[in-house]
Amino acid sequence: MTDRRDNIREKVMARVRIDEDTGCWIWTGPTSGTEGRGAGYPRMALAGQTVAVHIVMWTNEHGYIPGKKELDHVCRNRLCVRPHPDHLEMVTRKRNAMRREQAKRALICGEA
């Protein structure tokens, strides 16, 4: 008999494509849209609520995320839902914002 955690994992993995080059688990289902600060994150229905898939996968595999913490996409791919330290890391809001700015600067410098 499968438990709730297995059911959630199966539901998520049914909509995932594994990128062999990066190791990212790419969500192929619905997202939060294309506009606003929260745009482009994976979304799914779970127990009658719309939830962020990367957060569901993290809590399913690692447990509760305290109120002062959030998840950072270390791999820099918002569609990645892999709950692994090379892809998602629990950090403070300040560290997440700092990393986001560093990634933006690296992108801008890389294009110049």
Side-chain angles (χ1 to χ4, degrees):
M1 184 170 144
T2 60
D3 67 2
R4 184 172 185 269
R5 288 180 60 195
D6 291 334
N7 289 339
I8 290 170
R9 188 180 305 113
E10 286 174 22
K11 184 173 181 172
V12 171
M13 294 308 290
R15 304 292 289 272
V16 163
R17 175 184 56 81
I18 297 175
D19 185 318
E20 300 293 335
D21 295 328
T22 64
C24 287
W25 294 0
I26 307 297
W27 178 251
T28 62
T31 69
S32 56
T34 58
E35 296 184 15
R37 199 174 75 79
Y41 284 100
R43 295 287 186 260
M44 68 184 280
L46 189 64
Q49 287 188 301
T50 299
V51 294
V53 183
H54 64 295
I55 295 172
V56 166
M57 280 298 283
W58 177 273
T59 56
N60 199 51
E61 303 301 317
H62 301 292
Y64 176 72
I65 300 170
K68 298 259 184 202
K69 300 282 185 166
E70 51 189 47
L71 295 180
D72 178 30
H73 278 91
V74 179
C75 60
R76 311 303 338 144
N77 186 342
R78 285 185 175 188
L79 291 177
C80 182
V81 298
R82 186 175 183 186
H84 183 278
D86 290 344
H87 298 270
L88 289 173
E89 183 180 5
M90 188 169 31
V91 297
T92 62
R93 174 165 284 140
K94 184 177 181 179
R95 179 169 298 276
N96 199 4
M98 184 180 71
R99 287 181 176 175
R100 184 171 44 251
E101 290 307 311
Q102 286 172 337
K104 281 182 191 173
R105 279 196 298 275
L107 186 64
I108 291 166
C109 291
E111 291 176 352

